[in-house]
Amino acid sequence: MWAAEHEVESAVLDQLRNIAALPWVHGVRVMPDVHLGKGATVGSVIAMRDAVSPAAVGVDIGCGMEGVKTSLHADDLPADLGGIRTSIERAVPVGFRAHDEAVDPARLGLDTSEWQDLWKRFGELHGGVSSLESKAGKQLGTLGGGNHFIEVCLDENDTVWLMLHSGSRHIGNRLAEQHIAAARELPHNQDLPDRDLAVFVSHTPQMAAYRHDLFWAQEYARVNRRIMLALTMRALRECFTGRRIEFDEPISCHHNYVAEETIDGQPMLVTRKGAIRAGKGDMGLIPGSMGTGSYVVRGLGSDDSFQSAAHGAGRRMSRNKAKKTFGSRDLREQTSGVECRKDDGVLDEIPGAYKDIDSVIEAQSALVEVVARLRQVVCVKG
């Protein structure tokens, strides 16, 4: 554990013990942003032999981060950032909204091969999702709701960054829910301490079907973020007409996903639910809340952590508790200086509902090194 045990709720510890007790589990690693999840704990890394638990990935398959450093400086930004926020919100649908027509990546200067491959394989997905093809196409390059966001940030040198957080949208959710339900019905899952920890085992048609859909959804999530980032970059350019803006190579990382990796010399299926891969030299993004800043990090390749690190600040209270604890006045105070929504509709995302991001980073100094600390000046929420 990279979280102090006395700071972890007893229900979370019970959930972690249930996971660790599964016969297929080689080991569990606990990140400092750990908190209760459905089935598997958020902020956990699980290495399994010949098995995988779909609930240990969650319903937002492939959820993750995308970020890019720009050539703009804080001095280049207007005093009123409302126009930049409006431009981004106009370019990227948020909440339940989608594009009127599927975005053509070629018009954004992106490689279309991955996009084309996704649609070639759509008909091979399981669970009768063929009717969702049009919706999935129109949702590529959209944000969604909850804790998903797009931000304009400044680093310690006041250089402008773009950063966003999203996943596989409705199609990933539908695939996940169907496979989680199917796993619960399998005979070997009937005596588990928590039926939400149901697993698929290797060399079965159910495992083959899940792996196929899982890896498709992870790729969909990555393409979704890349298109969204390109739309956000274009929106930013439109706010600075007549000026050339340069962008560095984007940083991209999943934090709800499965990967085939070697752990302790053995081939494993490694599930990171609320954790990023932090192999030696791997670049990552670890966001805080909508008013407290984020970090760009580089992995140190810790074998002890299964080469992993935290995915964010992590919640310290549920969404319902946050709404009961705070009001819109608290939200305005805690997001002072940030151009963002400050209404009750995003009250569950108030910074006070999250753990301290600086403490989370400090707790994993053996797992990642800090490349930059970012503070947001614009935050678009779903």
Side-chain angles (χ1 to χ4, degrees):
M1 289 180 62
W2 278 263
E5 188 167 346
H6 70 277
E7 296 178 351
V8 182
E9 298 174 7
S10 59
V12 175
L13 291 172
D14 290 342
Q15 192 172 59
L16 290 166
R17 293 184 183 107
N18 283 339
I19 297 167
L22 295 177
W24 306 275
V25 171
H26 173 76
V28 179
R29 299 296 183 260
V30 185
M31 300 296 106
D33 58 341
V34 62
H35 59 279
L36 199 66
K38 185 173 177 58
T41 316
V42 180
S44 64
V45 183
I46 307 167
M48 284 193 178
R49 292 179 296 266
D50 300 319
V52 68
S53 171
V57 183
V59 294
D60 196 358
I61 299 172
C63 187
M65 302 291 302
E66 194 95 7
V68 66
K69 184 178 180 180
T70 82
S71 60
L72 291 173
H73 188 267
D75 293 340
D76 299 318
L77 299 177
D80 182 358
L81 296 170
I84 292 179
R85 176 185 157 200
T86 299
S87 181
I88 294 172
E89 290 174 338
R90 191 165 48 237
V92 180
V94 303
F96 293 106
R97 292 173 51 224
H99 293 284
D100 293 333
E101 299 294 336
V103 175
D104 181 359
R107 297 184 66 179
L108 296 170
L110 299 176
D111 180 7
T112 62
S113 59
E114 296 165 330
W115 180 83
Q116 291 168 345
D117 184 57
L118 280 173
W119 303 119
K120 284 180 182 177
R121 294 186 286 129
F122 193 95
E124 300 170 3
L125 297 174
H126 301 81
V129 297
S130 57
S131 62
L132 298 179
E133 184 170 3
S134 176
K135 183 173 185 176
K138 293 176 182 179
Q139 283 193 328
L140 268 179
T142 67
L143 185 64
N147 61 357
H148 293 165
F149 64 78
I150 303 171
E151 290 182 343
V152 179
C153 305
L154 303 176
D155 64 18
E156 303 98 321
N157 299 316
D158 278 348
T159 300
V160 175
W161 288 67
L162 296 177
M163 186 169 65
L164 60 86
H165 171 210
S166 192
S168 53
R169 306 295 285 110
H170 180 74
I171 184 64
N173 182 290
R174 176 71 72 86
L175 291 169
E177 287 183 339
Q178 292 180 163
H179 285 291
I180 290 171
R184 287 196 192 106
E185 302 305 315
L186 295 175
H188 61 263
N189 291 321
Q190 300 312 301
D191 297 323
L192 298 178
D194 182 347
R195 290 286 297 282
D196 282 328
L197 289 176
V199 306
F200 295 121
V201 295
S202 293
H203 312 300
T204 63
Q206 295 91 348
M207 170 68 107
Y210 178 62
R211 284 172 58 117
H212 176 277
D213 293 357
L214 167 78
F215 292 133
W216 184 93
Q218 289 178 182
E219 184 64 13
Y220 177 97
R222 195 178 68 79
V223 172
N224 176 44
R225 289 195 299 273
R226 185 52 56 90
I227 290 176
M228 206 182 328
L229 183 65
L231 290 169
T232 304
M233 290 162 61
R234 186 171 70 179
L236 188 66
R237 287 192 183 100
E238 290 172 354
C239 295
F240 293 88
T241 54
R243 173 171 184 157
R244 182 177 178 83
I245 303 175
E246 302 290 342
F247 297 93
D248 284 4
E249 186 68 22
I251 299 169
S252 181
C253 58
H254 288 321
H255 55 224
N256 280 5
Y257 75 112
V258 176
E260 299 170 336
E261 297 181 13
T262 300
I263 302 293
D264 296 334
Q266 303 177 56
M268 300 277 173
L269 285 171
V270 178
T271 301
R272 294 182 176 89
K273 183 176 185 178
I276 62 171
R277 177 169 171 80
K280 184 73 171 177
D282 287 345
M283 297 298 294
L285 298 163
I286 304 180
S289 63
M290 60 189 289
T292 58
S294 302
Y295 283 86
V296 182
V297 299
R298 183 181 293 108
L300 297 177
S302 168
D303 289 331
D304 290 340
S305 72
F306 295 161
Q307 302 198 35
S308 305
H311 83 310
R315 298 193 73 91
R316 69 181 185 90
M317 63 176 67
S318 69
R319 295 184 181 278
N320 285 335
K321 186 176 180 181
K323 291 177 181 178
K324 293 176 181 177
T325 304
F326 300 106
S328 55
R329 180 176 178 179
D330 299 307
L331 180 62
R332 289 193 297 272
E333 290 176 351
Q334 294 182 28
T335 59
S336 176
V338 181
E339 171 60 44
C340 64
R341 286 180 61 182
K342 299 179 190 286
D343 57 85
D344 289 350
V346 293
L347 195 56
D348 54 347
E349 284 295 301
I350 190 170
Y354 282 85
K355 297 179 182 180
D356 177 59
I357 184 62
D358 297 325
S359 298
V360 167
I361 295 296
E362 184 179 353
Q364 53 185 340
S365 59
L367 310 183
V368 294
E369 61 180 347
V370 174
V371 174
R373 192 190 193 283
L374 309 180
R375 67 186 191 279
Q376 63 268 78
V377 292
V378 176
C379 178
V380 173
K381 299 288 287 189

